[in-house]
């Protein structure tokens, strides 16, 4: 017999209820060297990448808790095939810096699958049996196996972390919300190169009675999981 463990997480705009912890997954979006280290995609777009590191300990704590409870953890990586067949020219042309997607930088070819710079940062490295979904877009449902993976794991509730808040995290959360998933964004587990964009994203997600979903702190999520 499978034991159903219901969870309540203190969140905004109101409590986030999960019927069974088996229906819950932790999503870690794009915590890659390409976004967090100098010389990667984030920095060739002109951003100061150092501030994103501050969310690493919170995500590590959530990752460790989900692993310990044998709950589903899914990581995503934004990347393209080496021949760029899955990268629209419109995306390559953006940024207008000296380097763009596919060019060679200090960590290998920028935003290309298999290059050192495209790896997830070592602090959050997935174990061999954890799910990693490669995505060519900002949203993690576009042109990926995400929906199939969630369905096969009977996941209905998603806890979102990662970077950047208003780009890949928000895009994925909106895609998930439209597909009927109940989504919660971890306030101190997500970061943007623009703190004011992060703040606005948190507010727009939980506005209008949770139009896109919920937000909560790492401490509240851990408390809901019975950890703190
Ligand atoms: N540039 C930026 O803020 N983000 C991205 O390009 N990708 C993700 O958010 N992962």
């Amino acid at each position: 017999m499978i034991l159903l463990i219901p969870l309540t997480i203190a969140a905004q705009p109101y409590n986030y209820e999960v019927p069974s912890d088996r229906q819950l997954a932790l999503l870690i979006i794009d915590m890659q060297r390409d976004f967090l280290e100098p010389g990667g995609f984030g920095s060739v777009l002109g951003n100061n990448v150092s501030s994103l590191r501050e969310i690493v300990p919170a995500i590590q704590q959530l990752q460790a808790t989900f692993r310990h409870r044998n709950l589903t953890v899914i990581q995503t990586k934004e990347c393209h095939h080496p021949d760029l067949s899955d990268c629209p020219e419109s995306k390559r042309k953006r940024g207008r810096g000296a380097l763009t997607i596919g060019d060679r930088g200090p960590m290998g070819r920028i935003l290309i699958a298999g290059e050192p710079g495209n790896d997830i940062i070592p602090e959050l490295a997935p174990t061999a049996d954890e799910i990693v979904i490669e995505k060519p877009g900002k949203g993690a449902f576009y042109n990926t196996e995400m929906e199939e993976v969630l369905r096969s794991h009977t996941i209905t509730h998603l806890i979102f972390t990662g970077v950047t808040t208003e780009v890949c995290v928000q895009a994925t959360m909106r895609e998930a919300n439209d597909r009927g998933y109940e989504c919660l964004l971890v306030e101190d587990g997500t970061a943007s190169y623009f703190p004011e964009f992060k703040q606005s994203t948190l507010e727009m997600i939980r506005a209008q009675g949770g139009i896109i979903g919920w937000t909560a702190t790492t401490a509240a999520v851990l408390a809901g999981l019975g950890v703190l």
Side-chain angles (χ1 to χ4, degrees):
M1 196 183 78
I2 299 174
L3 196 62
L4 294 185
I5 303 178
L7 306 173
T8 299
I9 295 170
Q12 293 191 61
Y14 48 87
N15 282 352
Y16 179 75
E17 308 280 356
V18 187
S20 159
D21 64 353
R22 300 292 124 187
Q23 290 173 232
L24 187 67
L26 175 66
L27 266 191
I28 305 175
I29 306 282
D30 300 357
M31 288 297 286
Q32 300 162 253
R33 299 181 66 200
D34 253 316
F35 295 104
L36 279 91
E37 293 187 22
F41 185 53
S43 69
V44 302
L45 290 174
N47 300 300
N48 172 0
V49 296
S50 60
S51 65
L52 300 196
R53 294 209 75 81
E54 69 186 27
I55 63 171
V56 174
I59 302 179
Q60 278 180 307
Q61 242 186 321
L62 291 166
Q63 185 187 44
T65 303
F66 272 67
R67 282 175 175 169
H68 181 71
R69 290 271 290 262
N70 207 19
L71 300 178
T72 305
V73 178
I74 300 171
Q75 299 221 39
T76 66
K77 294 204 304 183
E78 184 175 346
C79 59
H80 294 282
H81 300 319
D83 66 3
L84 294 173
S85 56
D86 59 352
C87 181
E89 190 53 26
S90 58
K91 183 174 179 183
R92 271 205 95 211
K93 284 195 304 202
R94 298 286 171 80
R96 319 198 80 173
L99 296 177
T100 187
I101 299 166
D103 291 344
R104 198 160 288 283
M107 297 189 290
R109 292 180 69 201
I110 289 163
L111 218 59
I112 299 296
E115 297 288 335
N118 203 245
D119 281 346
I120 290 164
I121 58 168
E123 297 94 317
L124 296 170
T127 57
D129 61 343
E130 278 177 349
I131 304 161
V132 179
I133 293 180
E134 296 190 341
K135 63 187 198 35
K138 302 306 182 191
F141 287 79
Y142 168 68
N143 257 348
T144 72
E145 66 276 28
M146 178 66 87
E147 225 169 336
E148 209 179 302
V149 167
L150 295 177
R151 212 174 295 125
S152 67
H153 286 73
T154 66
I155 301 298
T156 55
H157 287 61
L158 297 169
I159 302 283
F160 280 76
T161 61
V163 295
T164 61
T165 315
E166 77 283 8
V167 182
C168 289
V169 175
Q170 180 171 213
T172 303
M173 202 164 168
R174 287 173 180 272
E175 287 182 324
N177 183 55
D178 281 346
R179 286 166 172 79
Y181 294 97
E182 306 276 18
C183 301
L184 181 147
L185 176 55
V186 181
E187 294 159 15
D188 50 341
T190 185
S192 168
Y193 301 121
F194 306 89
E196 67 277 22
F197 289 174
K198 168 178 168 174
Q199 198 50 40
S200 298
T201 302
L202 294 175
E203 286 167 21
M204 67 177 83
I205 279 169
R206 63 193 178 214
Q208 306 182 63
I211 190 82
I212 307 296
W214 287 256
T215 75
T217 60
T218 299
V221 175
L222 292 174
L225 286 162
V227 175
L228 294 180

